[in-house]
Amino acid sequence: MKDKSMVMRIGVCLLSVGLVFAISSYAGRRPPYETVHDMDPALLPPVITPEDDPAKAPSDAIVLFDGKDKTLKAEWVTGRDNPPKWKVDTEKGYMEIVKKGGGIRTKKSFGNCQLHIEWASPKPPTGKSQGRGNSGIYFMGKYEVQILDSYTEDNYKDNRTYADGQAAALYGQYPPIVNACRKPGEWQTYDISFLAPKFDKDGKLVRRARVTVWHNGLTVQNNVEYWGPSGHKKKNPQYRRHEEKLPISLQDHGNPVRFRNIWIRELPEQ
Ligand code: MG
């Protein structure tokens, strides 16, 4: 009898501690009361000018490629800091991966951001599975959103790869919710909201990287966490501390994928 009441007392005690912890952590996420409905102009967000056409960069964006820079030298370098060798068609406003040209990366570094990018897989298509219109966007040079020709007319009988390697997959980690691919040669859009990972002063991971991806306007990754840096057949990728901002890379996987209208908005911590 005595034992039972002791167990009950301990149980109630643990419950109370849990409740206090839950309330205090919830309260910690709320904005401070003193700023609720505060008219202080310092609290107002910056005013920007949006565009009707999503291909056009809004006023607070950095344009990474608008089809006019023949050499790509203004915003891009190769992985080894050399001038890019990719082909640029300034009349049609696109750049194209050149075989053995190597990947390219932005000269500027980015952490949290919104990226708009348009791409087209080769027409007519050649190759299959991962050899068909493969490229990719590597946020911070590490976290990939896959680019691939995943267009299918016959529910994947005509064109198939593994689910976590198709277009808009977080490569090797998450397939997209749906396959929203357009035909080879047709322009497609990715709009991506990326949240950089966070490390504490000892290098311990305190927040994983996250993305939301819209493929041709449809949500295909909804606030999904990267398990770690992307890689081929990596079953247990590990985060390692890195800078808060790093360049974004575009992958050369040996296929002549085209890109146009690339712009980016840096996003603050919220
Ligand atoms: Mg790829």
Side-chain angles (χ1 to χ4, degrees):
M1 204 56 184
K2 209 175 173 186
D3 283 355
K4 254 190 188 171
S5 81
M6 182 65 92
V7 168
M8 267 189 71
R9 261 188 242 166
I10 291 170
V12 169
C13 205
L14 283 174
L15 263 174
S16 319
V17 169
L19 196 62
V20 167
F21 180 76
I23 290 169
S24 60
S25 57
Y26 175 68
R29 286 195 205 111
R30 300 183 64 152
Y33 270 111
E34 58 268 24
T35 63
V36 169
H37 306 321
D38 194 326
M39 291 293 280
D40 183 353
L43 296 172
L44 297 170
V47 178
I48 63 120
T49 314
E51 293 283 349
D52 292 334
D53 178 359
K56 286 188 187 158
S59 60
D60 63 340
I62 296 166
V63 175
L64 294 174
F65 180 70
D66 61 3
K68 290 174 193 148
D69 182 13
K70 182 86 191 157
T71 62
L72 293 173
K73 272 196 227 164
E75 296 290 343
W76 301 87
V77 286
T78 67
R80 292 186 176 177
D81 275 334
N82 293 318
K85 290 180 188 152
W86 291 13
K87 174 182 147 188
V88 178
D89 186 325
T90 49
E91 255 171 49
K92 291 181 181 155
Y94 69 81
M95 60 168 147
E96 182 179 303
I97 298 171
V98 169
K99 216 168 191 181
K100 296 196 174 163
I104 60 172
R105 61 178 169 80
T106 55
K107 284 186 165 176
K108 295 185 181 82
S109 291
F110 302 98
N112 301 342
C113 62
Q114 176 191 350
L115 180 76
H116 173 87
I117 188 165
E118 300 176 23
W119 59 275
S121 50
K123 182 189 174 185
T126 56
K128 55 181 186 174
S129 188
Q130 291 294 301
R132 183 162 161 143
N134 194 337
S135 180
I137 301 150
Y138 283 79
F139 289 91
M140 313 193 92
K142 299 171 191 304
Y143 310 104
E144 185 183 14
V145 174
Q146 171 73 313
I147 288 175
L148 197 79
D149 173 12
S150 295
Y151 178 74
T152 173
E153 285 184 339
D154 196 12
N155 198 27
Y156 297 107
K157 285 193 191 106
D158 52 338
N159 181 19
R160 194 172 79 188
T161 189
Y162 37 88
D164 60 10
Q166 73 170 65
L170 308 193
Y171 186 78
Q173 301 186 18
Y174 283 96
I177 296 166
V178 292
N179 177 353
C181 257
R182 292 200 172 120
K183 290 178 181 172
E186 290 185 7
W187 285 104
Q188 318 207 34
T189 60
Y190 278 172
D191 290 282
I192 303 172
S193 179
F194 176 79
L195 192 69
K198 261 190 164 181
F199 302 87
D200 68 13
K201 61 178 174 25
D202 301 316
K204 200 178 139 222
L205 179 77
V206 292
R207 182 180 75 195
R208 291 179 179 181
R210 284 178 171 271
V211 280
T212 297
V213 181
W214 292 268
H215 184 185
N216 296 323
L218 305 172
T219 307
V220 292
Q221 300 283 1
N222 190 12
N223 195 22
V224 172
E225 282 183 342
Y226 283 90
W227 301 341
S230 308
H232 184 57
K233 283 190 178 171
K234 272 198 181 163
K235 285 196 172 162
N236 188 22
Q238 298 292 313
Y239 279 91
R240 289 219 171 80
R241 177 163 63 173
H242 54 67
E243 288 80 349
E244 284 179 10
K245 291 183 179 187
L246 285 167
I248 293 173
S249 311
L250 299 179
Q251 184 187 40
D252 169 17
H253 202 280
N255 305 141
V257 176
R258 292 177 179 177
F259 296 92
R260 72 176 187 188
N261 295 330
I262 309 174
W263 54 258
I264 190 165
R265 298 176 58 236
E266 294 194 85
L267 300 177
E269 282 292 321
Q270 283 192 299

